Amino acid sequence: MKTFICIISLALCACLFASLQELKKEEVKAINPTAADCMIRDVVVQQGAVGTLPNGIPRYSVVILNVNPKNKTVMNVHIKCGWFASYNLVDPSIFRRLAHDDCLVNNGQPIPTGQAIGFSYSNSFSYPMTVSTVACS
């Protein structure tokens, strides 16, 4: 899979949709077993370096986008995020670590198709982030 660095803008959706086409088919992992129209690949996570803080710590921008092709709203999006931490505060209602390798997006609240949740964090390295679970309505 190619690496894409996207800046939060209107062009972001086009970049994320292009990267989605390269994703391999993944098995359904839904919190609600009846939500078979919801797949992990329906949520795309992209991040890239966006500069440094005055003290030299690198900054990263993250965008989490609902690209469900059946126009389903996703919710309870959980991200594998290691021991995520940031020098600058990330709004915990947007993104927060619940446990090792488990971060919650948007307080578990719905994210409609085409909508994105974005934030930036600062650390001496970036954290690999992938979707672990998602539910649809």
Side-chain angles (χ1 to χ4, degrees):
M1 182 168 74
K2 292 181 183 176
T3 302
F4 294 88
I5 298 177
C6 302
I7 298 173
I8 299 173
S9 69
L10 294 176
L12 172 66
C13 290
C15 179
L16 292 176
F17 280 117
S19 66
L20 177 64
Q21 293 174 2
E22 296 188 23
L23 294 176
K24 296 178 184 175
K25 186 173 183 177
E26 300 178 49
E27 78 181 61
V28 175
K29 285 192 179 179
I31 293 172
N32 178 355
T34 62
D37 288 335
C38 187
M39 301 178 77
I40 289 173
R41 70 178 183 186
D42 294 338
V43 177
V44 176
V45 180
Q46 290 289 323
Q47 71 172 310
V50 292
T52 59
L53 296 176
N55 62 5
I57 297 174
R59 288 190 69 211
Y60 303 94
S61 178
V62 178
V63 176
I64 301 163
L65 178 66
N66 175 1
V67 294
N68 184 290
K70 296 182 180 179
N71 207 29
K72 298 281 186 174
T73 296
V74 297
M75 64 190 77
N76 294 319
V77 177
H78 287 256
I79 304 289
K80 292 180 184 178
C81 59
W83 287 110
F84 178 82
S86 178
Y87 178 81
N88 61 303
L89 179 65
V90 175
D91 182 345
S93 69
I94 299 296
F95 189 83
R96 73 173 176 274
R97 182 170 50 85
L98 302 175
H100 175 258
D101 227 14
D102 184 18
C103 288
L104 182 65
V105 178
N106 199 35
N107 259 350
Q109 296 300 305
I111 306 169
T113 298
Q115 296 290 315
I117 301 295
F119 64 93
S120 64
Y121 69 94
S122 300
N123 203 314
S124 56
F125 56 89
S126 64
Y127 289 90
M129 295 184 192
T130 57
V131 179
S132 58
T133 58
V134 62
C136 285
S137 64

